[in-house]
Amino acid sequence: MDFGVVLQTNPPASRTVQLSALAEAHGFSHVWTFDSHLLWEEPYVVHSAILNATKRITVGPFVTNPATRDWTVTASVFATLNEMYGNRTICGIGRGDSAVRVTNGKPVTMRELRESIHVIRELGNSRPVEYKGATLQFPWSRGSELDVWVAAYGPMALKLTGEVGDGFILQLADVDIAAWMIKVVRDAAEAAGRDPDSIAFCVAAPMYIGDDWEHMREQCRWFGGMVGNHVADIVSKYGTEGDVPQALTDYIAGRTGYDYNSHGKSDNDHVDFVPDEIVDRFCLLGTAEDHIAKLEQLRALGVTQFAGYLQHDNKEETMRVYGESVIPALSEHITAKS
C-alpha cells in the first residue's frame, strides 16, 4: 500500500512545500492538494515548488475538474512538470465541487468528464488526440507519463471510473461503504473488458494520531460536511431507497446548508449535523495501532493507497508516527505475506 498526504495550498506556500518535503522524509509516496483557485492559492504553481524541493514524491490535484480549467491547458501543465522534474505527476479529477460551486456553477456531465479524461490523459502521455474537430499533440512533449484517477461517489460516476479511470479516489474511509464502491468500480471495469486489478484504488480521509477522541473528532468533523455535499447530490438524484448504501445517506438528514468559505477547515461551523459515529467511520483516528488495524481492513478490500488529509492541528506528529510506525507496519505485512 502506498501512502499520500492531502494538503491545502494556504499561504504561505512555503509551508505547503515544507510539509511536502517532510512527507517525503517520512516515507509518503504522494502529495495531493485541493484545487479550488478562489478558495486557496493556485495549486499547480505550488506543485512546481514541491517537485523542486523533493526527489521522488508524486504530486497532483485532489481533485481538479473539467469545468474551471481548459482540458488542454491542464494536460500541458502535467506534461511540462514531467519534463522539468521527471514523471512525477498524477491527475485526480472529478465532476467539480468547490471550484465550480463558489462561482454558482454546476458539476460537468458524465459525458464531459469522460471526454476530458481522454483528452488530458492522451496529451499528458505525449500522444495525439482528437479535440473539437482537430488532432492535437504537444510537439515539445516526449515520454511524458500521466495516470488519471477519478473521484466518484454515485453509481454512474463509479461505473465511469471502472470503464476509463486509471485509478479510483474514494474520499471516505468507511470500510463497508468502501467495499460496496470498490465492487461497483471493479464490476464496471470487468464489464468493459478491462482488468480490474489494473486500477489503483485510493481511499482518502483525515488521519489524526492521538488519544483525545473528543478533540480529534472536532478537528476532523469538517470532513463529514464535505462528504455530505456529494451525498446530498446523490440523494437528490437516486433517493434514499436504491443502490446507494443507507449508511452513506442517513447522516445527512439534519444537513441544512453549507458555506464553501469554510470548506475543508477544522473550524467549519456548518457541520453540527455530522455525528461522532460518522467521524469515526469516515476518518482514521486514534493510536498507530488503531490506524494500522483499519488500514489492514482497507488493504484487504484492494485499496492500494491511503491518502491522509492533514487539515488539523497535529500535522507533523501524525506524519512522524506514520513514518515510524504505520507505513512500516503495512510494508512489513505485505513483505511477510509475499
Side-chain angles (χ1 to χ4, degrees):
M1 181 183 285
D2 289 333
F3 290 85
V5 296
V6 186
L7 306 174
Q8 289 175 344
T9 52
N10 292 307
S14 58
R15 170 66 168 156
T16 306
V17 175
Q18 177 193 44
L19 289 170
S20 300
L22 189 60
E24 180 175 74
H26 285 310
F28 290 86
S29 61
H30 289 68
V31 169
W32 304 90
T33 71
F34 285 54
D35 178 10
S36 291
H37 57 288
L38 290 171
L39 298 179
W40 301 286
E41 293 182 319
E42 171 56 38
Y44 295 124
V45 176
V46 181
H47 289 178
S48 186
I50 292 172
L51 289 164
N52 188 59
T54 57
K55 295 181 179 179
R56 59 173 182 79
I57 281 283
T58 296
V59 179
F62 213 79
V63 296
T64 193
N65 72 87
T68 58
R69 300 182 184 275
D70 181 271
W71 308 348
T72 63
V73 174
T74 296
S76 182
V77 168
F78 290 116
T80 300
L81 291 174
N82 283 342
E83 187 279 323
M84 294 172 67
Y85 301 107
N87 289 317
R88 294 168 54 203
T89 66
I90 190 168
C91 179
I93 195 168
R95 294 177 59 210
D97 183 37
S98 60
V100 298
R101 295 186 194 273
V102 293
T103 58
N104 295 320
K106 294 181 179 179
V108 301
T109 65
M110 292 297 172
R111 179 179 178 179
E112 290 171 315
L113 178 58
R114 183 187 298 268
E115 291 175 351
S116 71
I117 291 168
H118 177 66
V119 170
I120 292 169
R121 179 163 50 207
E122 294 307 293
L123 291 175
N125 282 280
S126 303
R127 297 191 292 258
V129 69
E130 296 297 316
Y131 179 65
K132 294 185 178 180
T135 300
L136 304 179
Q137 185 172 12
F138 298 138
W140 45 266
S141 180
R142 298 286 187 276
S144 177
E145 297 178 4
L146 179 70
D147 280 354
V148 181
W149 293 9
V150 187
Y153 288 104
M156 290 182 64
L158 293 169
K159 181 174 181 290
L160 179 149
T161 302
E163 291 170 348
V164 303
D166 296 310
F168 167 45
I169 294 173
L170 171 57
Q171 291 164 298
L172 58 83
D174 181 279
V175 176
D176 294 334
I177 295 173
W180 173 75
M181 291 190 174
I182 289 172
K183 183 179 186 304
V184 174
V185 172
R186 291 181 64 89
D187 288 349
E190 189 169 2
R194 302 181 68 199
D195 178 5
D197 291 335
S198 69
I199 300 173
F201 290 91
C202 175
V203 162
M207 57 179 181
Y208 196 119
I209 295 288
D211 55 16
D212 184 340
W213 281 84
E214 181 178 355
H215 180 75
M216 290 188 293
R217 287 168 178 148
E218 290 310 307
Q219 285 286 304
C220 298
R221 198 174 302 276
W222 64 268
F223 185 68
M226 185 183 81
V227 173
N229 297 314
H230 301 285
V231 175
D233 286 343
I234 294 170
V235 170
S236 68
K237 182 168 186 175
Y238 297 99
T240 57
E241 304 295 332
D243 293 334
V244 182
Q246 188 172 351
L248 188 60
T249 59
D250 281 354
Y251 84 100
I252 67 165
R255 181 179 182 270
T256 57
Y258 192 79
D259 181 2
Y260 273 93
N261 290 311
S262 300
H263 190 62
K265 299 181 185 297
S266 60
D267 59 355
N268 190 322
D269 58 359
H270 290 71
V271 294
D272 291 342
F273 71 93
V274 181
D276 290 349
E277 178 188 3
I278 288 295
V279 180
D280 295 352
R281 291 181 64 172
F282 283 15
C283 304
L284 267 75
L285 311 176
T287 64
E289 290 72 22
D290 294 326
H291 287 240
I292 291 167
K294 190 166 187 178
L295 287 166
E296 289 282 15
Q297 290 181 282
L298 292 169
R299 189 194 62 78
L301 296 177
V303 173
T304 58
Q305 181 180 150
F306 171 68
Y309 287 89
L310 287 174
Q311 285 66 57
H312 55 63
D313 61 3
N314 198 34
K315 298 176 179 62
E316 284 87 352
E317 176 65 7
T318 293
M319 283 197 288
R320 181 191 69 80
V321 174
Y322 260 72
E324 294 183 1
S325 300
V326 179
I327 294 175
L330 270 294
S331 300
E332 290 171 5
H333 179 92
I334 293 171
T335 301
K337 187 175 181 180
S338 62

